[in-house]
Amino acid sequence: MQPHERIGEAIIAANKDGRTGLVPFITAGYPDPGTFASSLQAIAEVGDVVELGVPFSDPMADGMTIQRSSFAAIENGVTLTWIFDQLDPLQGSIDAPLIMMSYLNPLLAFGYAKLASRARETGVCAFIVPDLPYEESAEISAALDAEGAGLIQLVTPATPADRLKLLASASRGFLYAVTITGITGGSSGLPPDLAGYLDEVSAVSPLPVCAGFGIRTAQDVDSVGKHAAGAIVGSALVEVLERGEDPAAYLRQLR
Amino acid sequence: MQPHERIGEAIIAANKDGRTGLVPFITAGYPDPGTFASSLQAIAEVGDVVELGVPFSDPMADGMTIQRSSFAAIENGVTLTWIFDQLDPLQGSIDAPLIMMSYLNPLLAFGYAKLASRARETGVCAFIVPDLPYEESAEISAALDAEGAGLIQLVTPATPADRLKLLASASRGFLYAVTITGITGGSSGLPPDLAGYLDEVSAVSPLPVCAGFGIRTAQDVDSVGKHAAGAIVGSALVEVLERGEDPAAYLRQLR
Amino acid sequence: MKAVLDADEASELLRASIAGELPDERGRFGPFGGRYIPETLVPAFELLERGIREYLPSDEFQQEYRTQLRDWVGRPTALTFAARLSERWGTKVWLKREDLAHTGAHKINNAIGQALLARKLGARRVIAETGAGQHGVASAAACARVGLPCRVYMGVVDMQRQAPNVDRMHRLGAEVFPVESGDKTLRAAIDEALREWVSDPAGIYYLLGSAVGAHPYPYLVRELQSVIGTEARQQMQDLAGGLPDVAFACVGGGSNAIGLFYPLLGDSDIELIGVEAGGTGDGLGQNAATLATGTPGVLQGCYSIILQDEHGNIQETHSISAGLDYSGVGPEHALLQALGRVSYVTASDDEALEALQELCETEGILTALETAHAYAAAKRWSRDNPGKRILIGNSGRGDKDMPTLARYAARTNANAAA
Amino acid sequence: MKAVLDADEASELLRASIAGELPDERGRFGPFGGRYIPETLVPAFELLERGIREYLPSDEFQQEYRTQLRDWVGRPTALTFAARLSERWGTKVWLKREDLAHTGAHKINNAIGQALLARKLGARRVIAETGAGQHGVASAAACARVGLPCRVYMGVVDMQRQAPNVDRMHRLGAEVFPVESGDKTLRAAIDEALREWVSDPAGIYYLLGSAVGAHPYPYLVRELQSVIGTEARQQMQDLAGGLPDVAFACVGGGSNAIGLFYPLLGDSDIELIGVEAGGTGDGLGQNAATLATGTPGVLQGCYSIILQDEHGNIQETHSISAGLDYSGVGPEHALLQALGRVSYVTASDDEALEALQELCETEGILTALETAHAYAAAKRWSRDNPGKRILIGNSGRGDKDMPTLARYAARTNANAAA
Ligand SMILES: Cc1ncc(COP(=O)(O)O)c(C=O)c1O
Ligand SMILES: Cc1ncc(COP(=O)(O)O)c(C=O)c1O
């Protein structure tokens, strides 16, 4: 089994348990680099897959919460190198497959080949690159593939049917269904026609579909879970961390 | 004898006395309209001819002192009508011939015919109109002539010889020789080539020549007096009035 | 000097005016104009007049001037069809874009022309007065361009309300001389500049900024500004398919208006309307509506219509726009009014503000507050003349007015809140 | 993605570049360019790209665009021979006067073109980002002109240093959205605008202000700005008697530079020099000298040269001129540098200030601080190239910079006094 295949498996396992797959997102090293390892472990106890955000100076697709966490993490010296170095000693102690969310430029600066090998070494099974559309992704995909890591594609309610098919078949791990046409952290709640959209995406996707953007409450997870295999919880979790609350407790009540 | 001829006569009389003709200038009604009559009488005791300034809102040819006095007099309600009305009861009590200095617009507003008749009634023998060059003066000259009043022409060190002759022959009362190419009230003293200039003007003029602009001290009067029949004292006298000092005393020490 | 004309005189003067025969030898536009200056300035004016007679019509000067206009000023300025404004007003509105000229107003046409003349006359330095600051900026720029030092006289009241322009003059290497005397605005600045000129008539060139003052200034400024109307007339034919039914221009001293109107005088079908500052009301001192409410008199060198009291003292004025805030007006306008060839109306401060905002939002053009008066009047005219073709002299841009606009906006908001 | 080219690739790319074959189908200028955007924006970009393919080359659009340029923007802008500057520098200096374009900079060429496109595409409203405020003002004006609401994203740091432009945008009816995130300057404003666009990709048109960002913006902006170089090339032949030996333009995102250079690429005898902001020194964060000191990377939608640290985080920049204060540069410049067709140099804050003042005093032209960088470099070049013909892209006027200039003058005076 390739590392990226572990992701879908973890989601499906949750579904088999009668649960919606839960994919918590945290900005790595936020709010405090010193507690990164322990809070990652706590979160990975509850999440089926954990998404680690690599901080970047220009998080153009993100809302205020993730921007704030990203800038703070950079201030605190968090880099891609640092994150991998933190993950090294955790090998074996984290069961949940890890994925990384990073804008393209930090990955470019790191180097694709090194990225893929460090990913394999540290249990990072796939990448989400929000500013990398499919058309520009061949080069990095090839590099990741060589080490068994994958690139997770995103689709949105505005994605036309043809393109949806293309992205679904190109994705690795799961297919990321953006629930709203907006940025992360919107507080406007989930859109009314969500069910139809997620059903459509799920019908097309050979992989489990995880829905993300705007998921904050157990009820959100629930309604998403009726039409998708998993739910990604980002800004809401980062806010929990920001307030110094217990992330595991927050996540548990979402399950 | 026409009224305007009284002016030259007064200057010549002074010269016959071995004195330079003294022509004090005051802004009418400044600094205090209430003391106008008495200070005019005091000044007329010392001056051979007295020049009354009619205040105007745009004294473009005057320096700061006379501008200031002009604006203050307007504020205090001094107008051409008011000045004539003040002069009426003084008839007989003032021996020195009076001349008026006024910009053109107040005279235009008053009306030339009425101006000439009020001048005759109040002992005003001539006018100096600083913004009325000879070329534009025919109309007002004609009106004044009809009542025996005259228009005093000005010449300057920059006036070419031809024009000097023209202005000298057109003038009434005396010929006003501006000593400097500047505005009134300059404190730069008299120019070095003054003597030659005044000799030249005096040689051309059928009338006595009075020099004005920048004359402040007995020594100024003296040096001017060697080459001209009279000296006009303006800004310096206005400053004396402004300081509340005795104008007659100031003028006496100039003689 | 009489300002009322009988019918024969009037028709002869109109003919002469159209034929370019005015001003006459003595600088007269019919009864108006002339040269009322201190004897100390006579040599300076004679030098200037001789210079104008010698250089202005010469091919050499004209070519130099035209080249500066084209290559430095950026002429011809555009003629803009204001599609959205036209739709709102129900007329067809064309704008002659002097705001696009270098330094942002028509003033530069005159300033560069006179700066070239100053150099030809051998002046060692240039002085100028300014109200809105536009002429000061234009003079500073023109003097830098021809390499002459420049000092600009500006009333301290104007320095305050047109602060951005003061900075611009400094940047352009000019000295700005704050005028504290008189009304501390344009009128006092002119007086102060004239006083300075007297001190060195041969070494100084006085670069007057509007079609006012003693002869030959009204003539000189008109000749230099006529490029506006000459271009606009041609552009209307080329782009609008024909001459306008009416032309509007704001009138301060009257330079942009005479520049636009003069080349159109002979087109008797074109109605010409000058727009003065109506300020806050009809009372004395509340406006600068010289032609609309003034009387004949002599101010700063010429016989024209002026705002004065019964004693001949000049009335202080008010306008939201510093460039219209003047108690006099060019003598040629006085004649054109007397002849009935141009009519003169007013627009209030508030109407100007509103017109400025309307133009901003419909055409994306931030016009000068002065210019906005012309729009206000044109809008009123449109109500009674649907479908007609309107030409508006867009004399300048409004960047310089931002501080004033901010102040008025604050006032309006405060009122609204109260 | 590799940024180093071998000789064959380079000569083929140069040929393609001159032939107008770049960007390719995927929006690439050789290795540079492309489209790095969130999936949420893909439909918006595809709509835009289809729109451009359909409308931009059409006669109807081109005619509408040309008419706006002529009648509203005031094109062609003048070409000025700077006689006094030439004498000082010992070269022959010609200025392409984009400062005379409506709203005071070249930005309007792009803004009105895109505003017309937005209307064609059926957008309900327009958003734009701005740094110096020039693009914001241009967008506000263009949107008013075509009748679309406009919101401008502007970093709060820039709002402060370019305050006059904020007021102008408001007057022109635009909403100015203060951006508090990120570096609070242009880069953050672009991010914020992109975030907004995502919320309604079909209803919003994003009017980007420079030749940067994801395909098709670098292409679109170049096409709209090329009018600068096309006109200048013709004018040099008509007025200067021949093409220049060298052309200078300042480079922020690179729109005025590409507009001037693109039509001259094929004239292999013309040396082309872009001038970046050297700021206060060579250290990281002290300048905005992207091409001079940066490395390849992806920023805000395209692969180009950027200022970044070893981790790929974007470096904050410094320049006295807000319009040059950007960590990226258009991908076409990255290619032209790699090909050696254009060279890129820097001018420091102080050199720019000095050049601005020199131009003011010799030619009466108050240029933008951005533009002043081009003068500083051209002056240096003149020392080694006496007698040569120089063309400078005078991209905008400096009125907007008065507050900054005042601040720096105060600093300098304080230093002098100390
Ligand atoms: C833009 C603009 N328009 C009009 C005027 C009024 O002057 P004039 O009547 O001489 O055109 C000024 C004066 O400063 C001005 O700046
Ligand atoms: C006058 C001027 N020149 C140059 C620039 C730099 O932009 P670009 O490199 O896109 O021409 C700006 C940006 O605001 C500007 O205002």
Side-chain angles (χ1 to χ4, degrees), chain A residues 96-113:
Chain A
L98 300 179
I99 59 183
M100 262 186 183
M101 194 289 276
S102 173
Y103 287 81
L104 185 58
N105 206 52
L107 307 184
L108 255 180
F110 196 82
Y112 293 166

Side-chain angles (χ1 to χ4, degrees), chain A residues 47-212:
Chain A
D48 298 297
V49 174
V50 178
E51 182 181 349
L52 293 175
V54 178
F56 179 51
S57 54
D58 264 74
M60 67 150 121
D62 287 295
M64 280 314 292
T65 303
I66 298 193
Q67 283 180 51
R68 205 162 51 230
S69 66
S70 200
F71 296 137
I74 291 172
E75 286 281 294
N76 287 326
V78 177
T79 63
L80 188 48
T81 306
W82 181 90
I83 299 169
F84 281 130
D85 290 350
Q86 296 292 304
L87 295 179
D88 279 327
L90 300 181
Q91 287 318 299
S93 71
I94 294 179
D95 288 339
L98 300 179
I99 59 183
M100 262 186 183
M101 194 289 276
S102 173
Y103 287 81
L104 185 58
N105 206 52
L107 307 184
L108 255 180
F110 196 82
Y112 293 166
K114 187 169 130 202
L115 179 73
S117 68
R118 288 295 280 146
R120 177 181 283 274
E121 288 162 16
T122 55
V124 174
C125 307
F127 288 82
I128 296 172
V129 186
D131 61 344
L132 185 68
Y134 171 74
E135 288 72 11
E136 303 282 3
S137 67
E139 204 176 337
I140 192 171
S141 284
L144 295 176
D145 257 4
E147 297 283 352
L151 202 58
I152 294 173
Q153 299 292 338
L154 288 79
V155 300
T156 84
T159 307
D162 280 6
R163 185 171 177 85
L164 174 58
K165 251 182 238 144
L166 173 77
L167 297 174
S169 70
S171 202
R172 293 288 174 270
F174 59 73
L175 180 62
Y176 193 136
V178 175
T179 54
I180 49 165
T181 53
I183 52 175
T184 60
S187 56
S188 45
L190 297 172
D193 55 348
L194 185 63
Y197 160 64
L198 291 178
D199 285 346
E200 194 189 327
V201 174
S202 299
V204 168
S205 178
L207 292 171
V209 170
C210 293

Side-chain angles (χ1 to χ4, degrees), chain B residues 57-58 62 105 136 139, chain C residues 1 28 187 191 195 308:
Chain B
S57 53
D58 265 75
D62 287 295
N105 206 51
E136 301 282 4
E139 204 176 336
Chain C
M1 294 191 290
R28 295 272 167 185
R187 186 156 52 92
D191 284 339
R195 287 184 193 112
Q308 58 186 329

Side-chain angles (χ1 to χ4, degrees), chain B residues 55-64 67 71 74 78-81 104-106 108-110 112 130-136 139 154-156 158-160 163 167 178 180-183 213, chain C residues 1-2 26 28 33-43 46 181-183 187-188 191-192 194-196 198-201 296-301 303 306 308-315:
Chain B
F56 180 51
S57 53
D58 265 75
M60 65 150 121
D62 287 295
M64 281 314 292
Q67 284 179 52
F71 296 137
I74 291 172
V78 176
T79 64
L80 188 50
T81 305
L104 185 60
N105 206 51
L108 255 180
F110 195 82
Y112 292 166
D131 62 343
L132 187 68
Y134 172 75
E135 287 73 10
E136 301 282 4
E139 204 176 336
L154 288 78
V155 299
T156 83
T159 306
R163 186 170 175 85
L167 297 175
V178 175
I180 51 165
T181 53
I183 51 174
F213 283 45
Chain C
M1 294 191 290
K2 55 171 198 149
R26 289 182 51 220
R28 295 272 167 185
R35 181 187 293 164
Y36 297 88
I37 55 167
E39 184 62 30
T40 38
L41 278 175
V42 168
E46 291 196 337
S181 62
D183 65 353
R187 186 156 52 92
D191 284 339
E192 217 44 57
L194 287 171
R195 287 184 193 112
E196 173 71 15
V198 165
S199 73
D200 182 10
V298 167
L299 171 64
Q300 296 184 321
Y303 182 65
I306 64 178
Q308 58 186 329
D309 66 15
E310 70 205 280
H311 305 293
N313 282 316
I314 307 308
Q315 206 47 56

Side-chain angles (χ1 to χ4, degrees), chain C residues 242-319:
Chain C
L243 295 177
D245 296 304
V246 65
F248 285 88
C250 66
V251 178
S255 70
N256 90 85
I258 203 67
L260 184 66
F261 294 163
Y262 185 67
L264 305 177
L265 287 178
D267 298 301
S268 56
D269 289 347
I270 306 180
E271 197 177 336
L272 303 174
I273 302 180
V275 188
E276 296 186 306
T280 56
D282 291 339
L284 266 180
Q286 294 186 324
N287 56 60
T290 310
L291 287 161
T293 67
T295 47
V298 167
L299 171 64
Q300 296 184 321
C302 79
Y303 182 65
S304 182
I305 303 296
I306 64 178
L307 289 170
Q308 58 186 329
D309 66 15
E310 70 205 280
H311 305 293
N313 282 316
I314 307 308
Q315 206 47 56
E316 300 209 355
T317 51
H318 162 80
S319 168

Side-chain angles (χ1 to χ4, degrees), chain B residues 6 10 19 22-26 35-52 87 90 92-99 123 237 241 246-249 251-252 255:
Chain B
R6 289 180 52 212
R19 286 189 299 105
L22 191 61
V23 186
F25 166 93
I26 58 172
T35 59
F36 172 59
S38 59
S39 70
L40 171 57
Q41 282 174 311
I43 286 162
E45 292 289 309
V46 195
D48 298 298
V49 174
V50 178
E51 181 180 349
L52 293 175
L87 294 180
L90 299 181
S93 72
I94 294 181
D95 288 338
L98 300 178
I99 60 184
L237 177 57
L241 289 166
D246 179 359
L251 288 172
R252 259 192 298 273
R255 279 174 67 153

Side-chain angles (χ1 to χ4, degrees), chain A residues 15-41:
Chain A
N15 292 167
K16 286 202 176 126
D17 271 8
R19 286 189 299 106
T20 304
L22 191 60
V23 185
F25 167 95
I26 57 172
T27 299
Y30 180 81
D32 174 7
T35 60
F36 172 60
S38 59
S39 70
L40 170 58
Q41 282 175 311

